Amino acid sequence: MTDGDCIFCQIVRGELGTEFVGESENAVAFRDVQPQAPVHLLVVPRQHVPALRDLGWEGGSVATELLELAVDLARQEGLHEGGYRLVINDGPDAGQTVFHLHVHVLGGKKLHEPLG
Ligand code: AMP
């Protein structure tokens, strides 16, 4: 897959008209089109990175920036008091379906325990 085919790259470039709920230098956030909770955001790097394991150690600052934006947006969405869940599916066995790294931010209800 090239960056041109990647749906999240198209969103980052503004080609699908998706509203951003947050932005930082190297990351953007938008609402998941099929929300699994009252609040379900996706935080993605602007640059095309297929999955977490493709970041490498030099990607540490990108990972930090994704988490910082996720935590800031969770606060903005009113999730800090009750808590929330961050999920990264890293590869097909984990259920990753869009191969552009993303952090799910889920909250706004008591979440079930589907971990594994
Ligand atoms: P994953 O299964 O971890 O790869 O998650 C991919 C997520 O992307 C799913 O929750 C989808 O609902 C979501 N998704 C796919 N296409 C779009 C889109 N165009 N806009 C927003 N979310 C999307």
Side-chain angles (χ1 to χ4, degrees):
M1 167 179 297
T2 67
D3 298 6
D5 302 328
C6 170
I7 191 153
F8 286 179
C9 285
Q10 291 170 18
I11 288 174
V12 167
R13 289 195 295 266
E15 292 171 6
L16 302 186
T18 305
E19 183 189 353
F20 294 159
V21 295
E23 292 187 62
S24 64
E25 185 181 350
N26 297 298
V28 305
F30 48 89
R31 296 194 191 279
D32 196 293
V33 75
Q34 288 187 295
Q36 305 298 314
V39 176
H40 187 171
L41 310 179
L42 300 172
V43 183
V44 315
R46 292 182 190 273
Q47 194 177 4
H48 183 73
V49 177
L52 183 65
R53 61 194 184 284
D54 298 310
L55 264 186
W57 288 112
E58 71 280 4
S61 64
V62 174
T64 301
E65 193 171 326
L66 294 175
L67 291 179
E68 283 179 342
L69 186 55
V71 172
D72 284 351
L73 289 172
R75 180 184 287 113
Q76 189 176 298
E77 295 282 329
L79 302 180
H80 267 213
E81 191 175 336
Y84 56 93
R85 180 174 293 155
L86 303 183
V87 175
I88 299 175
N89 292 322
D90 190 18
D93 280 0
Q96 185 176 3
T97 58
V98 176
F99 287 87
H100 180 127
L101 171 61
H102 49 283
V103 181
H104 296 260
V105 181
L106 295 145
K109 71 170 187 179
K110 190 88 175 170
L111 298 166
H112 301 297
E113 278 290 342
L115 301 176

